[in-house]
Amino acid sequence: MAAKRGRRGLLTRRPKTKAAKASGSVRGGNAGIQLKTREQIEKMRVAGRLVVEVHDLCRTMARPGNTTRQIDEAAGRLIEERGAENLFLNYPTYVPGEGFPSNLCISVNEVVVHGIANDEPIRDGDIVGVDCGVKLDGWCGD
């Protein structure tokens, strides 16, 4: 294997196969890692920035007296205003015909992950966790 010194130490590179060279993949075929162009990386960055914007909104709203439903609805409006697709709302669940009912996963206190927005007011001292996923211009941010 060829080795090269990078910013974080020694990097090893596997020699590319003919299939890898043709597909742009590191390992070859469709199973490998697809190298992205600068333009694709920029689109991924823009989608990620929207997620940051949603998290910033949630941070300002996660205050005693507000409900997770209010936060969820505000985030949903922001995602829609930016022209993005919400990746969580109506995501298929294990129950046929049902989808995830919220724009975000908002978990309060003992709810570990995948919390569903509700009308219970946030109380002083509550721990509020937020997960958001969007698709913008064909690229996902989460």
Side-chain angles (χ1 to χ4, degrees):
M1 275 188 244
K4 174 181 169 184
R5 183 151 305 277
R7 288 186 303 193
R8 295 185 183 206
L10 193 64
L11 303 174
T12 59
R13 293 197 173 159
R14 293 183 178 165
K16 282 191 172 185
T17 64
K18 287 182 184 180
K21 288 177 185 175
S23 70
S25 168
V26 173
R27 289 193 181 157
N30 291 329
I33 297 167
Q34 298 295 315
L35 300 178
K36 307 295 185 262
T37 66
R38 289 180 194 271
E39 293 80 17
Q40 291 171 322
I41 292 169
E42 181 57 30
K43 288 180 180 182
M44 291 169 35
R45 183 176 288 118
V46 171
R49 285 183 184 141
L50 176 54
V51 172
V52 170
E53 192 176 349
V54 171
H55 280 209
D56 288 344
L57 171 68
C58 294
R59 187 178 303 109
T60 64
M61 292 187 69
R63 301 284 182 252
N66 287 343
T67 68
T68 56
R69 188 175 316 279
Q70 290 171 316
I71 297 168
D72 185 73
E73 289 171 352
R77 285 190 299 272
L78 178 61
I79 292 167
E80 188 176 318
E81 287 169 6
R82 297 297 186 266
E85 176 187 344
N86 188 317
L87 293 178
F88 293 177
L89 185 62
N90 297 319
Y91 186 83
T93 66
Y94 58 90
V95 180
E98 293 185 14
F100 191 75
S102 297
N103 295 293
L104 307 170
C105 294
I106 304 179
S107 305
V108 179
N109 296 327
E110 70 278 352
V111 178
V112 180
V113 293
H114 302 148
I116 297 170
N118 61 51
D119 293 319
E120 182 74 25
I122 296 171
R123 294 177 295 197
D124 191 34
D126 279 349
I127 299 170
V128 180
V130 175
D131 190 15
C132 172
V134 301
K135 187 173 186 179
L136 183 61
D137 200 17
W139 294 91
C140 297
D142 185 0

